[in-house]
Amino acid sequence: MVQRREIAICIILTIVTCGIYGIYWFICLTDDTNAISGRMDDTSGVVAFLLSLITCNIYGLYWAYKQGEKIDQVKSQRGFPSGSNGIAYLLLCLFGFSIVAYALMQNELNKLA
């Protein structure tokens, strides 16, 4: 089950906890996207976080792109117009705006939930 989250609260908690909540949010985004796309065999949130940590966030860039692809796929299946969210998320994460990418992903998941 995909949980709807308030984006403003997630951003504030990420800032107040110096990024600790951001890690939890990353894990939840991954698991929720896997659940909504029906691809539960894909990399779990914890594994995705550990791979990002081990590879100095190289995997995190790949993750951002794949998250966008999964969200676009679900939107297409449900008849919503889809764009190239993967590229947008990748560019945001590449230039240090990961929290903005997380917020956009959460917004899309909230719409699809």
Side-chain angles (χ1 to χ4, degrees):
M1 174 91 185
V2 177
Q3 182 179 353
R4 296 177 57 89
R5 290 182 178 78
E6 290 295 324
I7 296 168
I9 292 174
C10 291
I11 291 171
I12 291 168
L13 285 173
T14 300
I15 293 168
V16 168
T17 62
C18 299
I20 303 281
Y21 187 82
I23 295 168
Y24 171 74
W25 194 14
F26 175 96
I27 292 168
C28 289
L29 282 171
T30 306
D31 292 338
D32 287 349
T33 305
N34 288 345
I36 206 162
S37 67
R39 298 167 68 176
M40 295 305 294
D41 293 334
D42 283 359
T43 307
S44 71
V46 174
V47 173
F49 171 71
L50 292 175
L51 287 172
S52 296
L53 195 64
I54 291 169
T55 62
C56 298
N57 206 36
I58 293 171
Y59 184 83
L61 297 174
Y62 169 77
W63 170 85
Y65 179 76
K66 293 305 283 183
Q67 287 287 102
E69 278 190 347
K70 288 179 191 176
I71 290 171
D72 283 341
Q73 181 183 26
V74 172
K75 286 172 68 176
S76 295
Q77 290 171 350
R78 295 190 180 181
F80 295 113
S82 62
S84 54
N85 286 334
I87 294 171
Y89 300 156
L90 172 65
L91 290 174
L92 285 168
C93 289
L94 188 63
F95 292 110
F97 296 105
S98 297
I99 197 164
V100 176
Y102 293 2
L104 292 173
M105 287 177 210
Q106 187 65 58
N107 183 48
E108 294 295 330
L109 289 173
N110 286 347
K111 288 179 189 175
L112 294 169

